[in-house]
């Protein structure tokens, strides 16, 4: 089968590798209908050191079950399923607490011996606890939005929950990528009164406003802090969704938060110590978040997608075949595309 392999920063190839196959009784193999390139994939695209054998890429997918192990009970060949970016058994104490990304037996796609989803097929460990059957056909118009349940919509929702977004709250979203835009959807869905987007790409800002943002801040650093405070009456916001992961974005998140606020960080941190920790401490600002347990959120978010109340699939602005994935990485890295969907 064909799959995406990254060998070093900027070196992405489509190669023929051994077919995905069942290894454990709890495995399933899915034929990938739709995958995508994630903003988090751009970090190794910029920074990955040369790796012998390369690194399989992709952790978001919708696909059709092609085979199941003897221990799989919930799925059968032909089922259309969404695959969260992390696999989990669904039975350990952390899964029962809704934190599948901390599953005692779980892990992430594209890491170790588990392949990536930017491929024609992928093996899914712990299929019963990981996959979710979709009540639509493979060609349904809602597929782009349903694909966001594998990562970005669930991650935006996780940021909003961790930041304690609620009815009447003032919210800021740092980052105008797909996760930040889905965070706006999540904040509006949870009843936020004011939603400020911090970003500077005009096309993304336009989409943010359609999703429910009520204010825009294009400045960075101290100028951004001043502008956010001005927009929300000078005291700062109740909730901050930090969807970037840089030291500057985290510092901004803490400085725009009002005393007693919460910051939900879902951008993979590319810094060692949390910046502005003194300010956070003395203002009683809570900082939480991490890899989103998106498997826990599918049942909550799915009805809103099926009934048309939210349309997170609009973050996809380009669809490409598998052979064009290397150029897709380039396009996203150069901000020519917001989020790219892959049709193997």
């Amino acid at each position: 089968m064909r799959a995406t392999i990254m060998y070093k920063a900027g070196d992405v190839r489509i190669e023929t590798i051994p077919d995905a196959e069942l290894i454990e009784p709890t495995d399933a193999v899915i034929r990938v209908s739709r995958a995508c390139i994630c903003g988090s994939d751009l970090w190794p695209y910029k920074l990955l050191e040369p790796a012998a054998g390369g690194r399989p890429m992709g952790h978001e997918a919708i696909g059709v079950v092609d085979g199941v192990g003897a221990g799989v009970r919930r799925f059968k060949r032909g089922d259309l399923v969404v695959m969260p970016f992390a696999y989990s058994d669904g039975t350990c104490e952390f899964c029962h607490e809704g934190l599948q990304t901390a599953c005692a037996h779980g892990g992430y796609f594209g890491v170790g011996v588990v392949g990536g989803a930017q491929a024609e097929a992928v093996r899914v460990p712990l299929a019963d606890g990981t996959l979710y059957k979709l009540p639509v056909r493979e060609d349904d118009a809602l597929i782009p939005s349903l694909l966001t349940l594998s990562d970005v919509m669930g991650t935006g929702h996780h940021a909003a929950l961790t930041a304690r977004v609620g009815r009447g709250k003032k919210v800021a979203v740092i980052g105008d990528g797909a996760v930040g835009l889905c965070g706006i959807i999540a904040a509006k869905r949870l009843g936020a009164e004011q939603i400020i987007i911090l970003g500077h790409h005009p096309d993304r800002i336009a989409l943010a406003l359609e999703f429910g943002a009520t204010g825009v801040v294009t400045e960075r650093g101290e100028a951004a802090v001043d502008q956010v405070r001005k927009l929300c009456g000078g005291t700062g916001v109740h909730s901050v969704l930090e969807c970037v992961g840089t030291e500057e974005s985290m510092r901004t998140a803490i400085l725009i938060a009002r005393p007693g606020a919460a910051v939900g960080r879902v951008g993979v941190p590319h810094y060692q110590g949390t910046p502005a920790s003194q300010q956070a401490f003395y203002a009683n600002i809570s900082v939480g978040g991490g890899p989103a347990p998106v498997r826990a959120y599918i049942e909550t978010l799915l009805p809103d997608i099926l009934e048309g109340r939210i349309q997170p699939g609009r973050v996809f602005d380009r669809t490409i075949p598998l052979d064009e994935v290397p150029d897709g990485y380039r396009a996203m890295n150069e901000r020519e595309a917001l989020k790219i969907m892959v049709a193997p």
Side-chain angles (χ1 to χ4, degrees), residues 225-292:
V225 174
D226 292 342
Q227 190 62 21
V228 171
R229 289 185 173 274
K230 185 180 298 183
L231 287 173
C232 61
T235 57
V237 296
H238 300 94
S239 304
V240 184
L241 283 60
E242 198 286 291
C243 305
V244 179
T246 64
E247 185 172 353
E248 179 185 22
S249 64
M250 191 62 200
R251 177 178 289 105
T252 299
I254 290 173
L255 295 181
I256 63 178
R258 63 190 283 146
V263 175
R265 61 175 184 174
V266 292
V268 179
H270 284 73
Y271 49 84
Q272 292 301 312
T274 302
S277 57
Q278 288 277 338
Q279 291 93 328
F281 177 81
Y282 284 106
N284 279 282
I285 295 168
S286 300
V287 178

Side-chain angles (χ1 to χ4, degrees), residues 9 12-13 16 36 72 116 120 122 138 146 161 167 221 233 237 263 295 318 323 327:
V12 179
R13 310 176 198 175
T16 298
C36 46
V72 175
E120 293 179 318
V122 62
E138 192 176 356
L146 295 169
L161 291 181
R167 192 160 301 281
V237 296
V263 175
R295 180 61 180 79
R318 188 178 300 185
D323 287 340
D327 188 63

Side-chain angles (χ1 to χ4, degrees), residues 146-157:
L146 295 169
L147 179 56
T148 69
L149 295 175
S150 67
D151 189 345
V152 291
M153 187 62 231
T155 296
H157 182 66

Side-chain angles (χ1 to χ4, degrees), residues 49-320:
E49 295 293 329
R55 172 175 165 179
M57 298 302 297
H59 52 259
E60 305 154 277
I62 281 176
V64 176
V65 174
D66 197 45
V68 297
V72 175
R73 299 287 179 263
R74 298 180 57 197
F75 302 97
K76 65 182 186 304
R77 186 182 177 91
D79 286 344
L80 183 68
V81 293
V82 60
M83 184 197 87
F85 67 84
Y87 58 90
S88 53
D89 61 19
T91 61
C92 78
E93 61 179 308
F94 299 111
C95 288
H96 282 303
E97 293 170 4
L99 195 60
Q100 285 90 338
T101 46
C103 176
H105 305 104
Y108 298 93
F109 289 93
V111 177
V113 298
V114 181
Q118 292 165 13
E120 293 179 318
V122 62
R123 177 176 75 92
V124 181
L126 305 173
D128 278 342
T130 302
L131 298 173
Y132 191 97
K133 185 177 178 179
L134 294 172
V136 299
R137 293 169 55 92
E138 192 176 356
D139 59 354
D140 196 284
L142 291 175
I143 290 296
S145 285
L146 295 169
L147 179 56
T148 69
L149 295 175
S150 67
D151 189 345
V152 291
M153 187 62 231
T155 296
H157 182 66
H158 185 59
L161 291 181
T162 307
R164 303 199 297 259
V165 175
R167 192 160 301 281
K169 295 287 186 70
K170 298 177 181 180
V171 177
V173 178
I174 300 178
D176 57 9
V179 170
L181 293 171
C182 287
I184 292 171
I185 294 174
K188 182 179 180 181
R189 181 180 173 278
L190 292 170
E193 177 181 279
Q194 183 178 18
I195 305 172
I196 302 166
I197 177 70
L198 283 76
H200 55 278
H201 298 91
D203 54 339
R204 302 180 184 194
I205 295 302
L207 188 55
L209 292 170
E210 292 182 34
F211 280 166
T214 60
V216 177
V217 171
T218 58
E219 295 86 351
R220 292 178 173 176
E222 293 300 324
V225 174
D226 292 342
Q227 190 62 21
V228 171
R229 289 185 173 274
K230 185 180 298 183
L231 287 173
C232 61
T235 57
V237 296
H238 300 94
S239 304
V240 184
L241 283 60
E242 198 286 291
C243 305
V244 179
T246 64
E247 185 172 353
E248 179 185 22
S249 64
M250 191 62 200
R251 177 178 289 105
T252 299
I254 290 173
L255 295 181
I256 63 178
R258 63 190 283 146
V263 175
R265 61 175 184 174
V266 292
V268 179
H270 284 73
Y271 49 84
Q272 292 301 312
T274 302
S277 57
Q278 288 277 338
Q279 291 93 328
F281 177 81
Y282 284 106
N284 279 282
I285 295 168
S286 300
V287 178
V294 299
R295 180 61 180 79
Y297 302 141
I298 294 176
E299 290 187 8
T300 298
L301 298 170
L302 180 62
D304 281 0
I305 290 176
L306 294 176
E307 295 169 23
R309 288 188 290 271
I310 61 174
Q311 297 178 302
R314 294 180 64 194
V315 300
F316 293 107
D317 54 354
R318 188 178 300 185
T319 301
I320 62 174

